[in-house]
Amino acid sequence: MTSLPLIPAVPDKPARRAALPQQHLADLDLAGRQALVAELGEPAFRAKQISNHYFGRLVRDPQLMTDLPAAARERLAERLMPRLLTAVRELTCDDGATRKALWRLHDGSLVESVLMGYEDRVTVCISSQAGCGMACPFCATGQAGLTRNLSTAEIVDQAVYLAGVAASGAVAGSPARLSHVVFMGMGEPLANYSRVVAAIRRLVAPAPEGLGLSQRHITVSTVGLVPAIRRLASEDLSVTLALSLHAPDDELRDELVPVNQRWKVAEVLDAAWDYAARTGRRVSIEYAMIKDVNDQPWRADLLGRLLAGKLAHVNLIPLNPTPGSRWDASPKPVEREFVRRLRAAGVSTTVRDTRGREIDGACGQLAAAEDSDIDRAAAASA
């Protein structure tokens, strides 16, 4: 088994000094926005006006906020609505039901977010970091390393933009309203703890404070940062915890999820069960099916024994291989046998719908492709 270095996993501590953007209204609660507006010499109700545009009407262009006086609009926009995301690429597949956006941030960092439309819901997958420091070897983002944490507003703005796409009716056959948000894009959400929790509070607060989503429709993924899981359980939030387990035994998980060298499977699962007990929310166990690596029948049986009788659901993920990777997806017969064994153990199990393979759907692939294009262009001009 490959021995990998221990990965630092201290929440809120990026790999280098964060180059955060200018403060945005989504960084603040409504009281904070009102105080800032008052500092600008405007009446406090202007904070509600601009917040209603952003969160209620999904308007991100200050010039469209025509109920604000032109002079006030300019001052408020400059201070409260700096541009956070610049579109680099937007790709669609699945007859328009899946849309992936690649954004460039103010410092040149790249992040991705995805909209997925279904008959009964619209889900967006958003990023919490530019890159990721967890170093999982089968993940394109993990291979790229961590650039920095995102600000609260950079996280929220992804959801607001894609909520606007849904509201425009662009996703045929789906509701015209964003209903679900999953923190499963680039980065380890619980390594950017304070800003992710603040973003969740913006997403669930009613307009004009926030987007007004249901807490139960928010999912936060983690590779297993135990102290942060326990901290999240105390936040009085009813979000779903998704634990990226990927192996039921420490020997293999040490390789696939290097943070397991600090917090072993038993300790991670114990924190997850405490979270379920305190919130009443079923834990989603994420498990990427990797050919000849973690898909053996005995590992299915071991996973079944670990989860039997627990408030948990297994979400098997057919691996979307990254270019040049030695990792590949498990064959369908192997996947079906894995499912059968888990269900025989009494564990609720589903296989994730595969979306976005035609548009570099695996997390980090689109950003990696863009960086490659930039490198090729630089080489050609040298």
Side-chain angles (χ1 to χ4, degrees):
M1 198 67 63
T2 303
S3 177
L4 296 180
L6 184 64
I7 303 302
V10 180
D12 294 331
K13 186 176 181 181
R16 61 176 177 82
R17 184 178 296 276
L20 293 177
Q22 179 185 335
Q23 190 178 57
H24 184 279
L25 70 87
D27 288 308
L28 304 167
D29 60 15
L30 187 56
R33 295 169 213 160
Q34 290 171 332
L36 187 53
V37 164
E39 288 179 14
L40 296 175
E42 295 290 336
F45 71 82
R46 295 286 186 221
K48 281 192 175 181
Q49 280 184 296
I50 195 168
S51 297
N52 264 319
H53 278 293
Y54 183 74
F55 284 114
R57 300 176 186 173
L58 308 175
V59 173
R60 297 166 68 251
D61 182 356
Q63 298 309 314
L64 299 178
M65 302 177 184
T66 53
D67 59 336
L68 295 172
R73 189 188 319 156
E74 187 172 336
R75 282 197 304 275
L76 291 169
E78 182 178 357
R79 186 62 184 86
L80 281 172
M81 294 195 69
R83 170 171 276 199
L84 300 176
L85 309 176
T86 299
V88 177
R89 295 182 187 177
E90 290 191 54
L91 305 175
T92 65
C93 66
D94 303 317
D95 295 324
T98 303
R99 294 169 172 261
K100 188 163 190 176
L102 176 67
W103 307 104
R104 191 175 304 282
L105 308 182
H106 78 103
D107 60 351
S109 301
L110 297 172
V111 297
E112 302 168 358
S113 38
V114 184
L115 180 150
M116 295 162 286
Y118 303 89
E119 288 185 4
D120 61 340
R121 68 192 186 281
V122 173
T123 298
V124 298
C125 176
I126 58 179
S127 296
S128 56
Q129 296 179 310
C132 182
M134 297 297 104
C136 299
F138 58 89
C139 172
T141 308
Q143 294 169 30
L146 177 64
T147 300
R148 68 169 173 89
N149 287 331
L150 299 192
S151 70
T152 296
E154 286 174 320
I155 297 168
V156 171
D157 204 34
Q158 298 170 63
V160 171
Y161 172 83
L162 291 173
V165 172
S168 73
V171 188
S174 298
R177 186 178 188 277
L178 172 65
S179 56
H180 292 68
V181 172
V182 296
F183 284 79
M184 293 182 175
M186 298 174 72
E188 161 56 54
L190 296 189
N192 189 15
Y193 185 91
S194 60
R195 297 183 186 95
V196 165
V197 169
I200 293 169
R201 298 197 187 283
R202 302 293 178 273
L203 294 174
V204 303
E209 180 89 19
L211 267 183
L213 302 180
S214 167
Q215 290 188 28
R216 299 171 70 87
H217 290 170
I218 307 289
T219 297
V220 178
S221 176
T222 179
V223 294
L225 306 190
V226 168
I229 294 173
R230 297 194 182 281
R231 186 179 172 190
L232 185 64
S234 68
E235 292 285 356
D236 195 28
L237 291 169
S238 297
V239 300
T240 297
L241 178 71
L243 174 59
S244 297
L245 194 64
H246 304 312
D249 56 301
D250 287 323
E251 182 182 14
L252 178 58
R253 196 167 192 266
D254 280 351
E255 179 182 4
L256 296 183
V257 186
V259 77
N260 196 74
Q261 297 171 31
R262 177 170 293 186
W263 296 293
K264 299 299 186 181
V265 170
E267 191 175 0
V268 171
L269 289 177
D270 186 58
W273 307 148
D274 283 351
Y275 183 88
R278 294 190 65 169
T279 64
R281 301 292 292 149
R282 184 174 69 171
V283 175
S284 178
I285 303 295
E286 309 291 302
Y287 197 102
M289 294 291 289
I290 309 174
K291 181 180 178 182
D292 298 330
V293 175
N294 66 349
D295 59 358
Q296 298 86 354
W298 72 265
R299 282 197 164 97
D301 294 339
L302 175 56
L303 184 61
R305 291 194 297 272
L306 291 174
L307 305 185
K310 302 297 186 181
L311 192 60
H313 171 88
V314 173
N315 185 19
L316 295 180
I317 307 166
L319 186 72
N320 190 353
T322 58
S325 172
R326 65 185 177 94
W327 313 94
D328 202 356
S330 300
K332 286 301 177 183
V334 172
E335 179 186 280
R336 287 192 290 268
E337 176 63 10
F338 207 91
V339 171
R340 187 193 69 77
R341 287 174 178 265
L342 287 174
R343 289 177 177 169
V347 178
S348 172
T349 305
T350 54
V351 178
R352 179 183 290 177
D353 180 29
T354 55
R355 290 282 194 103
R357 289 182 179 271
E358 309 95 296
I359 54 172
D360 291 322
C363 181
Q365 284 188 351
L366 199 56
E370 177 67 16
D371 279 339
S372 294
D373 289 348
I374 291 172
D375 289 344
R376 283 195 294 270
S381 61

